[in-house]
Amino acid sequence: MRILHLSDTHVDRSDTPNEYGVNATDSLRLMLAELRHLRDVDAVVVTGDIADDGAVEAYTAVQQLVGEFARGHNAPVFYTTGNHDERGAFGKVLGSGHPAPEAVLDSEASERAAVSTVGGRRFVTLDSLVPGKVHGELSAHQLDWLRGVLSRPSERGTVLALHHPPISLGISATQPLFGLRNPGELAEAIRGSDVRVVLTGHYHLQLFGFLEAVPVWVTPGVVSRVDLTMPPGTERVVRGASASLVELGGAAGPMFHTFHARDPRAHETVYELDEGQVRAFLEREA
């Protein structure tokens, strides 16, 4: 199975450059255009921060652009929420995040989590959004639901997708506080299950690790990428639309490959945070 993994499109309602001079819609268009030669895509997974401003128009734009690409492959598209997303607007356009879910989480908080099966592989999307915060968390209710879903193995295993990674990179100034706040509870929920891979985004940086011996893949952002070649305690974000291909099965699977769009302005600095700005940002989040 081949999965195109996108994340952090950050499209807004205006389709104009943001405060840093980046047009998020153009970045998505460019990335998808660069992927036009890609073949044999079985599913597309978009792990959150779809809309930068939580606008219905932004979800509609992403749905149209990604949907057009996916239809060319006869591939379903699965969406999760991210910290920039708004559950109400997400639901109006994308529903549960699945085109035809087999099961959907019943949540008083309107958490968007659902299950579908493609080619014998189960896709489960979770909602790690904490409104108004950069970090993520999975509610006890959602984790109980996940345990119920995983209690019966799927034919070819489960792909788990959410926005906030349950792993982080220590050399980053922000990642240790910006990820999933309860990775241990997620680890307990998937322990002994048929989860084959966890797909996430949020960091705008490709990163690989493990949770309960399950591979965790963090795909770089579509709108921009984090560049960690900065002094400790600081952070830089650069231009450059990116995506990933995840291949499951086979002797060497899972395998992860990143794509970087051929943008003449790639690697230009979008913004930099000095130590004082990073410290202030982390204090607000703590």
Short mmCIF file of all heavy atoms in Angstrom, two decimals, residues 11 13 48-59 80-95 109-112 127 129-132:
data_model
loop_
_atom_site.label_atom_id
_atom_site.label_comp_id
_atom_site.label_asym_id
_atom_site.label_seq_id
_atom_site.Cartn_x
_atom_site.Cartn_y
_atom_site.Cartn_z
N VAL A 11 -4.01 26.76 4.80
CA VAL A 11 -4.71 27.61 3.84
C VAL A 11 -5.67 28.53 4.60
O VAL A 11 -6.29 28.12 5.59
CB VAL A 11 -5.48 26.73 2.82
CG1 VAL A 11 -6.43 27.56 1.96
CG2 VAL A 11 -4.48 25.98 1.94
N ARG A 13 -8.79 31.87 4.14
CA ARG A 13 -9.91 32.19 3.26
C ARG A 13 -9.53 33.17 2.15
O ARG A 13 -10.23 33.27 1.15
CB ARG A 13 -11.06 32.77 4.09
CG ARG A 13 -10.84 34.19 4.59
CD ARG A 13 -11.94 34.60 5.53
NE ARG A 13 -11.77 34.00 6.85
CZ ARG A 13 -12.77 33.82 7.71
NH1 ARG A 13 -13.99 34.14 7.37
NH2 ARG A 13 -12.53 33.29 8.90
N GLY A 48 -3.87 17.42 9.57
CA GLY A 48 -4.20 18.60 10.34
C GLY A 48 -3.54 19.91 9.96
O GLY A 48 -2.70 19.99 9.08
N ASP A 49 -3.98 20.95 10.67
CA ASP A 49 -3.68 22.34 10.34
C ASP A 49 -4.00 22.59 8.87
O ASP A 49 -3.22 23.14 8.10
CB ASP A 49 -2.23 22.70 10.66
CG ASP A 49 -2.06 23.10 12.13
OD1 ASP A 49 -3.05 23.00 12.89
OD2 ASP A 49 -0.95 23.51 12.52
N ILE A 50 -5.19 22.16 8.51
CA ILE A 50 -5.68 22.29 7.14
C ILE A 50 -5.98 23.74 6.85
O ILE A 50 -5.53 24.31 5.86
CB ILE A 50 -6.93 21.41 6.96
CG1 ILE A 50 -6.55 19.94 7.17
CG2 ILE A 50 -7.55 21.62 5.59
CD1 ILE A 50 -7.73 19.05 7.49
N ALA A 51 -6.75 24.36 7.75
CA ALA A 51 -7.11 25.77 7.61
C ALA A 51 -6.35 26.59 8.65
O ALA A 51 -6.41 26.28 9.83
CB ALA A 51 -8.61 25.96 7.79
N ASP A 52 -5.67 27.62 8.22
CA ASP A 52 -4.91 28.44 9.15
C ASP A 52 -5.82 29.27 10.04
O ASP A 52 -5.50 29.53 11.20
CB ASP A 52 -3.96 29.36 8.39
CG ASP A 52 -2.93 30.01 9.29
OD1 ASP A 52 -2.09 29.27 9.84
OD2 ASP A 52 -2.97 31.24 9.45
N ASP A 53 -6.97 29.67 9.49
CA ASP A 53 -7.88 30.55 10.22
C ASP A 53 -9.21 29.90 10.52
O ASP A 53 -10.17 30.57 10.93
CB ASP A 53 -8.11 31.85 9.43
CG ASP A 53 -8.63 31.59 8.01
OD1 ASP A 53 -8.79 30.41 7.64
OD2 ASP A 53 -8.87 32.56 7.28
N GLY A 54 -9.32 28.57 10.34
CA GLY A 54 -10.55 27.86 10.66
C GLY A 54 -11.74 28.24 9.80
O GLY A 54 -12.88 28.04 10.20
N ALA A 55 -11.49 28.74 8.59
CA ALA A 55 -12.57 29.21 7.72
C ALA A 55 -13.11 28.10 6.84
O ALA A 55 -12.35 27.27 6.33
CB ALA A 55 -12.08 30.36 6.84
N VAL A 56 -14.43 28.09 6.65
CA VAL A 56 -15.07 27.13 5.77
C VAL A 56 -14.46 27.20 4.37
O VAL A 56 -14.23 26.18 3.71
CB VAL A 56 -16.59 27.38 5.71
CG1 VAL A 56 -17.23 26.63 4.55
CG2 VAL A 56 -17.24 26.97 7.02
N GLU A 57 -14.18 28.42 3.90
CA GLU A 57 -13.61 28.60 2.57
C GLU A 57 -12.25 27.89 2.43
O GLU A 57 -11.92 27.37 1.36
CB GLU A 57 -13.44 30.08 2.24
CG GLU A 57 -14.74 30.85 2.18
CD GLU A 57 -15.18 31.43 3.52
OE1 GLU A 57 -14.67 30.96 4.56
OE2 GLU A 57 -16.01 32.35 3.50
N ALA A 58 -11.48 27.89 3.51
CA ALA A 58 -10.17 27.24 3.46
C ALA A 58 -10.31 25.73 3.36
O ALA A 58 -9.61 25.08 2.58
CB ALA A 58 -9.36 27.61 4.70
N TYR A 59 -11.23 25.15 4.15
CA TYR A 59 -11.46 23.70 4.06
C TYR A 59 -11.96 23.32 2.68
O TYR A 59 -11.56 22.29 2.12
CB TYR A 59 -12.45 23.25 5.13
CG TYR A 59 -11.92 23.38 6.53
CD1 TYR A 59 -12.37 24.39 7.38
CD2 TYR A 59 -10.95 22.52 7.01
CE1 TYR A 59 -11.87 24.53 8.66
CE2 TYR A 59 -10.44 22.65 8.29
CZ TYR A 59 -10.91 23.66 9.11
OH TYR A 59 -10.39 23.80 10.38
N THR A 80 -7.43 14.81 9.44
CA THR A 80 -7.52 14.99 10.89
C THR A 80 -7.50 16.49 11.21
O THR A 80 -7.08 17.30 10.40
CB THR A 80 -6.34 14.32 11.63
OG1 THR A 80 -5.18 15.16 11.58
CG2 THR A 80 -6.01 12.96 11.05
N THR A 81 -7.91 16.82 12.40
CA THR A 81 -7.82 18.21 12.87
C THR A 81 -6.42 18.50 13.41
O THR A 81 -5.70 17.61 13.84
CB THR A 81 -8.82 18.46 14.01
OG1 THR A 81 -8.57 17.49 15.05
CG2 THR A 81 -10.26 18.36 13.54
N GLY A 82 -6.04 19.78 13.36
CA GLY A 82 -4.81 20.24 13.97
C GLY A 82 -5.11 21.42 14.88
O GLY A 82 -6.26 21.85 15.00
N ASN A 83 -4.09 21.99 15.51
CA ASN A 83 -4.32 23.06 16.47
C ASN A 83 -4.86 24.33 15.84
O ASN A 83 -5.51 25.14 16.51
CB ASN A 83 -3.04 23.37 17.25
CG ASN A 83 -1.87 23.69 16.34
OD1 ASN A 83 -1.34 22.79 15.69
ND2 ASN A 83 -1.44 24.95 16.30
N HIS A 84 -4.64 24.54 14.53
CA HIS A 84 -5.19 25.71 13.85
C HIS A 84 -6.61 25.48 13.35
O HIS A 84 -7.26 26.43 12.91
CB HIS A 84 -4.30 26.10 12.66
CG HIS A 84 -3.15 26.97 13.03
ND1 HIS A 84 -3.16 28.34 12.89
CD2 HIS A 84 -1.94 26.65 13.55
CE1 HIS A 84 -2.00 28.84 13.30
NE2 HIS A 84 -1.25 27.84 13.70
N ASP A 85 -7.07 24.24 13.40
CA ASP A 85 -8.39 23.93 12.85
C ASP A 85 -9.51 24.27 13.81
O ASP A 85 -9.30 24.42 15.02
CB ASP A 85 -8.45 22.45 12.46
CG ASP A 85 -7.57 22.14 11.26
OD1 ASP A 85 -7.72 22.85 10.25
OD2 ASP A 85 -6.74 21.23 11.35
N GLU A 86 -10.71 24.38 13.26
CA GLU A 86 -11.92 24.67 14.04
C GLU A 86 -12.91 23.55 13.74
O GLU A 86 -13.26 23.31 12.60
CB GLU A 86 -12.47 26.03 13.63
CG GLU A 86 -13.43 26.65 14.61
CD GLU A 86 -14.83 26.05 14.50
OE1 GLU A 86 -15.29 25.85 13.36
OE2 GLU A 86 -15.45 25.77 15.55
N ARG A 87 -13.31 22.83 14.79
CA ARG A 87 -14.09 21.61 14.59
C ARG A 87 -15.40 21.84 13.85
O ARG A 87 -15.81 21.02 13.03
CB ARG A 87 -14.35 20.93 15.94
CG ARG A 87 -13.12 20.28 16.53
CD ARG A 87 -13.42 19.62 17.87
NE ARG A 87 -12.23 18.97 18.40
CZ ARG A 87 -11.81 19.06 19.66
NH1 ARG A 87 -12.49 19.81 20.52
NH2 ARG A 87 -10.73 18.43 20.06
N GLY A 88 -16.08 22.95 14.12
CA GLY A 88 -17.35 23.21 13.47
C GLY A 88 -17.20 23.38 11.97
O GLY A 88 -17.91 22.76 11.17
N ALA A 89 -16.25 24.23 11.55
CA ALA A 89 -16.02 24.47 10.13
C ALA A 89 -15.47 23.22 9.45
O ALA A 89 -15.85 22.89 8.32
CB ALA A 89 -15.07 25.64 9.94
N PHE A 90 -14.58 22.50 10.14
CA PHE A 90 -14.05 21.23 9.63
C PHE A 90 -15.21 20.29 9.33
O PHE A 90 -15.28 19.69 8.25
CB PHE A 90 -13.12 20.63 10.68
CG PHE A 90 -12.49 19.30 10.32
CD1 PHE A 90 -11.16 19.23 9.94
CD2 PHE A 90 -13.21 18.11 10.41
CE1 PHE A 90 -10.56 18.01 9.64
CE2 PHE A 90 -12.63 16.89 10.11
CZ PHE A 90 -11.30 16.84 9.72
N GLY A 91 -16.12 20.16 10.29
CA GLY A 91 -17.25 19.24 10.12
C GLY A 91 -18.19 19.65 9.00
O GLY A 91 -18.73 18.78 8.30
N LYS A 92 -18.40 20.94 8.81
CA LYS A 92 -19.30 21.41 7.76
C LYS A 92 -18.82 20.98 6.38
O LYS A 92 -19.62 20.67 5.49
CB LYS A 92 -19.42 22.94 7.81
CG LYS A 92 -20.29 23.45 8.93
CD LYS A 92 -20.36 24.98 8.91
CE LYS A 92 -21.21 25.50 10.06
NZ LYS A 92 -21.25 26.99 10.07
N VAL A 93 -17.51 20.98 6.19
CA VAL A 93 -16.95 20.67 4.87
C VAL A 93 -16.48 19.22 4.78
O VAL A 93 -16.76 18.53 3.80
CB VAL A 93 -15.77 21.61 4.55
CG1 VAL A 93 -15.16 21.27 3.19
CG2 VAL A 93 -16.21 23.06 4.59
N LEU A 94 -15.79 18.74 5.80
CA LEU A 94 -15.13 17.44 5.73
C LEU A 94 -15.82 16.36 6.55
O LEU A 94 -15.39 15.20 6.52
CB LEU A 94 -13.68 17.57 6.19
CG LEU A 94 -12.83 18.59 5.43
CD1 LEU A 94 -11.46 18.74 6.08
CD2 LEU A 94 -12.69 18.19 3.97
N GLY A 95 -16.87 16.72 7.28
CA GLY A 95 -17.59 15.75 8.09
C GLY A 95 -16.69 15.15 9.16
O GLY A 95 -16.06 15.86 9.94
N ALA A 109 -17.82 16.82 22.76
CA ALA A 109 -16.93 17.92 22.38
C ALA A 109 -16.78 18.03 20.87
O ALA A 109 -16.00 18.84 20.39
CB ALA A 109 -15.56 17.72 23.01
N SER A 110 -17.52 17.20 20.12
CA SER A 110 -17.47 17.19 18.65
C SER A 110 -16.10 16.82 18.12
O SER A 110 -15.68 17.28 17.05
CB SER A 110 -17.91 18.54 18.08
OG SER A 110 -19.23 18.84 18.45
N GLU A 111 -15.35 16.00 18.87
CA GLU A 111 -14.06 15.53 18.40
C GLU A 111 -14.24 14.74 17.10
O GLU A 111 -15.18 13.96 16.98
CB GLU A 111 -13.40 14.64 19.46
CG GLU A 111 -13.02 15.39 20.72
CD GLU A 111 -12.79 14.45 21.89
OE1 GLU A 111 -13.70 13.64 22.18
OE2 GLU A 111 -11.71 14.53 22.50
N ARG A 112 -13.33 14.94 16.16
CA ARG A 112 -13.43 14.33 14.84
C ARG A 112 -12.51 13.11 14.78
O ARG A 112 -11.30 13.25 14.61
CB ARG A 112 -13.06 15.34 13.75
CG ARG A 112 -13.90 16.61 13.78
CD ARG A 112 -15.34 16.33 13.38
NE ARG A 112 -16.20 17.48 13.66
CZ ARG A 112 -17.49 17.53 13.37
NH1 ARG A 112 -18.07 16.50 12.80
NH2 ARG A 112 -18.20 18.60 13.67
N ASP A 127 -8.38 13.02 16.93
CA ASP A 127 -8.50 14.46 17.08
C ASP A 127 -7.71 14.90 18.31
O ASP A 127 -8.16 14.74 19.44
CB ASP A 127 -9.98 14.81 17.23
CG ASP A 127 -10.26 16.31 17.30
OD1 ASP A 127 -9.31 17.07 17.55
OD2 ASP A 127 -11.42 16.70 17.14
N LEU A 129 -6.71 18.04 18.84
CA LEU A 129 -6.88 19.49 18.98
C LEU A 129 -7.27 19.87 20.41
O LEU A 129 -8.20 19.32 20.99
CB LEU A 129 -7.97 19.95 18.01
CG LEU A 129 -8.58 21.34 18.19
CD1 LEU A 129 -7.54 22.43 18.01
CD2 LEU A 129 -9.75 21.54 17.23
N VAL A 130 -6.54 20.83 20.97
CA VAL A 130 -6.90 21.49 22.23
C VAL A 130 -7.17 22.94 21.86
O VAL A 130 -6.24 23.70 21.59
CB VAL A 130 -5.77 21.40 23.28
CG1 VAL A 130 -6.20 22.12 24.56
CG2 VAL A 130 -5.42 19.95 23.56
N PRO A 131 -8.44 23.36 21.80
CA PRO A 131 -8.76 24.71 21.31
C PRO A 131 -7.96 25.80 22.01
O PRO A 131 -7.85 25.84 23.23
CB PRO A 131 -10.26 24.84 21.62
CG PRO A 131 -10.77 23.43 21.55
CD PRO A 131 -9.66 22.60 22.15
N GLY A 132 -7.34 26.66 21.21
CA GLY A 132 -6.58 27.78 21.74
C GLY A 132 -5.16 27.46 22.16
O GLY A 132 -4.44 28.36 22.61
#
